[in-house]
Amino acid sequence: MIQDLALRWFVTILFVLAAGECLYALAAGKRRPAAVIGQLLHVVMAVAMAVMAWPWGAALPTVAPMVFFLLATGWFVGVTASPLGAGHRIAGSYHALMMLAMAWMYAVMNGRLLPGQASYAADVAPAADGASGHAGHAGMNMPGMDMSGTDPAVSDHGVGYPAYIATLNWACTLLFAVATVYWLYRYLAVRMSGASTEAGAPLGILCQSMMAAGMAIMFGVML
């Protein structure tokens, strides 16, 4: 979860608005099956991220949602590679990457699934008396994030990650920060030009900008 209460509320509102915008874009736009599934997957993602920002959300199981978003990644890859994705390869690839980033975040939160993570945590922060971590979330001591059930002494100093995890978290932070600016530019361009053929398209683009901003923040607090 995010430790700062104001930032936690900001991220929650960001993802709730994004989910609402995705639903509106779905209702107002062309209801092609692929578009419907894609928008619903983004709604699920927005809700999952809003939940993840809170203490009770950080204590939920991580394996099932990780598998779900891996399957969502495969779905976007399949659609993007198929004739349905013609003309939208870049956007489709981005959506697949976003779902993969969600799966990655859940894997990092789990603390046991990624190579070297649990042993790294044990080496950097030897177990204090009574410090066992939340069940199913061992090694979730994220810098900038307060994980329920972890030892305060360990959390305050931050366990950190193996180098490859920290590097990928940095890459995700930068990627989604850039994506935030790009989707916001696209939204403003569409609104000013009035060239959109679908009533829900502008809000769908704004939804992507908000979700990218929230993802950048969530990965940022993990650094």
Side-chain angles (χ1 to χ4, degrees):
M1 79 174 209
I2 299 175
Q3 192 170 20
D4 183 79
L5 183 60
L7 184 60
R8 189 190 308 163
W9 272 109
F10 176 76
V11 169
T12 301
I13 293 172
L14 203 62
F15 281 116
V16 170
L17 288 176
E21 288 161 3
C22 284
L23 288 174
Y24 178 82
L26 177 60
K30 296 179 181 179
R31 300 180 183 179
R32 296 181 298 269
V36 170
I37 295 174
Q39 291 284 26
L40 289 177
L41 286 174
H42 281 97
V43 170
V44 172
M45 175 182 169
V47 172
M49 291 300 291
V51 168
M52 195 185 295
W54 293 87
W56 55 271
L60 295 175
T62 58
V63 174
M66 181 192 71
V67 172
F68 174 85
F69 285 108
L70 284 175
L71 293 174
T73 301
W75 188 88
F76 274 111
V77 169
V79 171
T80 302
S82 73
L84 293 174
H88 304 281
R89 305 293 188 198
I90 296 177
S93 299
Y94 169 77
H95 296 321
L97 186 60
M98 177 175 277
M99 295 296 159
L100 183 60
M102 278 293 294
W104 168 258
M105 185 175 288
Y106 276 111
V108 173
M109 287 177 62
N110 181 276
R112 296 180 183 274
L113 296 176
L114 298 175
Q117 188 177 10
S119 59
Y120 183 88
D123 291 340
V124 176
D129 292 338
S132 59
H134 190 281
H137 293 69
M140 281 178 55
N141 304 305
M142 299 181 181
M145 300 183 77
D146 178 23
M147 294 302 169
S148 301
T150 56
D151 184 75
V154 175
S155 298
D156 289 342
H157 291 86
V159 171
Y161 303 109
Y164 78 97
I165 295 180
T167 300
L168 284 174
N169 286 346
W170 268 109
C172 288
T173 302
L174 295 175
L175 168 68
F176 288 114
V178 171
T180 301
V181 177
Y182 169 77
W183 287 112
L184 183 58
Y185 170 79
R186 280 281 311 277
Y187 169 74
L188 295 174
V190 169
R191 293 289 295 183
M192 293 177 66
S193 67
S196 173
T197 58
E198 295 186 18
L203 277 183
I205 296 172
L206 184 60
C207 164
Q208 294 300 325
S209 179
M210 287 188 168
M211 292 185 69
M215 290 289 284
I217 293 172
M218 291 293 284
F219 274 107
V221 298
M222 293 169 63
L223 300 176

